[in-house]
Coordinates of all heavy atoms in Angstrom, one line a residue:
L75 N -11.7 -37.7 15.5 CA -11.4 -37.8 14.1 C -11.0 -36.5 13.5 O -10.1 -36.4 12.7 CB -12.5 -38.5 13.4 CG -12.3 -38.7 11.9 CD1 -11.1 -39.5 11.5 CD2 -13.6 -39.3 11.2
A76 N -11.8 -35.5 13.8 CA -11.5 -34.1 13.3 C -10.1 -33.7 13.7 O -9.3 -33.1 12.9 CB -12.5 -33.1 13.8
R77 N -9.7 -34.0 14.9 CA -8.3 -33.6 15.4 C -7.3 -34.4 14.6 O -6.3 -33.9 14.2 CB -8.3 -33.9 16.9 CG -7.1 -33.2 17.6 CD -7.2 -33.3 19.1 NE -7.7 -34.6 19.7 CZ -9.0 -34.7 20.1 NH1 -9.8 -33.8 20.1 NH2 -9.3 -35.9 20.6
L78 N -7.5 -35.7 14.4 CA -6.5 -36.5 13.7 C -6.4 -36.1 12.3 O -5.2 -36.0 11.8 CB -6.9 -38.0 13.8 CG -6.9 -38.7 15.1 CD1 -7.5 -40.1 15.1 CD2 -5.4 -38.8 15.6
L79 N -7.5 -35.8 11.6 CA -7.4 -35.3 10.3 C -6.6 -34.0 10.2 O -5.8 -33.8 9.3 CB -8.8 -35.1 9.7 CG -9.6 -36.4 9.4 CD1 -11.1 -36.1 9.1 CD2 -9.0 -37.2 8.2
A80 N -7.0 -33.1 11.1 CA -6.3 -31.8 11.1 C -4.8 -31.9 11.4 O -3.9 -31.3 10.7 CB -6.9 -30.8 12.2
D81 N -4.4 -32.8 12.3 CA -3.0 -33.0 12.6 C -2.3 -33.6 11.4 O -1.1 -33.3 11.3 CB -2.9 -34.0 13.8 CG -3.3 -33.4 15.1 OD1 -3.5 -32.2 15.2 OD2 -3.5 -34.2 16.1
A82 N -3.0 -34.4 10.6 CA -2.3 -34.9 9.4 C -2.4 -34.0 8.2 O -1.8 -34.3 7.2 CB -3.0 -36.3 9.1
G83 N -3.1 -32.9 8.3 CA -3.2 -31.9 7.2 C -4.2 -32.4 6.2 O -4.1 -32.1 5.0
L84 N -5.2 -33.2 6.6 CA -6.2 -33.7 5.7 C -7.6 -33.1 5.9 O -7.9 -32.7 7.1 CB -6.3 -35.3 5.9 CG -5.1 -36.1 5.6 CD1 -5.3 -37.5 6.0 CD2 -4.8 -36.0 4.1
T85 N -8.4 -33.0 4.9 CA -9.7 -32.6 4.9 C -10.7 -33.7 4.4 O -10.4 -34.3 3.4 CB -9.9 -31.3 4.0 OG1 -9.0 -30.3 4.4 CG2 -11.3 -30.8 4.0
A86 N -11.8 -33.9 5.1 CA -12.8 -34.9 4.7 C -13.7 -34.2 3.8 O -14.4 -33.2 4.2 CB -13.5 -35.4 5.9
V87 N -13.8 -34.6 2.5 CA -14.6 -34.0 1.5 C -16.0 -34.8 1.4 O -16.9 -34.2 0.8 CB -14.0 -33.9 0.1 CG1 -12.8 -32.9 0.2 CG2 -13.5 -35.2 -0.4
S88 N -16.0 -36.0 1.9 CA -17.3 -36.8 1.9 C -17.1 -37.9 2.9 O -16.0 -38.2 3.3 CB -17.6 -37.3 0.5 OG -16.6 -38.2 0.0
S89 N -18.3 -38.5 3.2 CA -18.3 -39.6 4.2 C -19.3 -40.6 3.7 O -20.5 -40.3 3.5 CB -18.7 -39.0 5.6 OG -18.8 -40.1 6.5
H90 N -18.9 -41.8 3.6 CA -19.8 -42.9 3.2 C -20.6 -43.3 4.5 O -20.0 -43.5 5.5 CB -19.0 -44.1 2.8 CG -18.7 -44.1 1.3 ND1 -18.4 -45.3 0.6 CD2 -18.6 -43.1 0.4 CE1 -18.2 -45.0 -0.6 NE2 -18.3 -43.7 -0.8
E91 N -21.9 -43.2 4.3 CA -22.8 -43.5 5.5 C -23.8 -44.5 5.0 O -24.6 -44.2 4.0 CB -23.4 -42.2 6.0 CG -22.5 -41.2 6.5 CD -21.8 -41.6 7.8 OE1 -22.4 -42.4 8.5 OE2 -20.7 -41.1 8.1
G92 N -23.9 -45.6 5.6 CA -24.9 -46.6 5.2 C -26.3 -46.2 5.3 O -26.7 -45.4 6.2

Side-chain angles (χ1 to χ4, degrees):
L75 179 58
R77 194 170 41 259
L78 291 171
L79 290 168
D81 290 349
L84 297 170
T85 301
V87 295
S88 62
S89 179
H90 274 203
E91 299 291 336

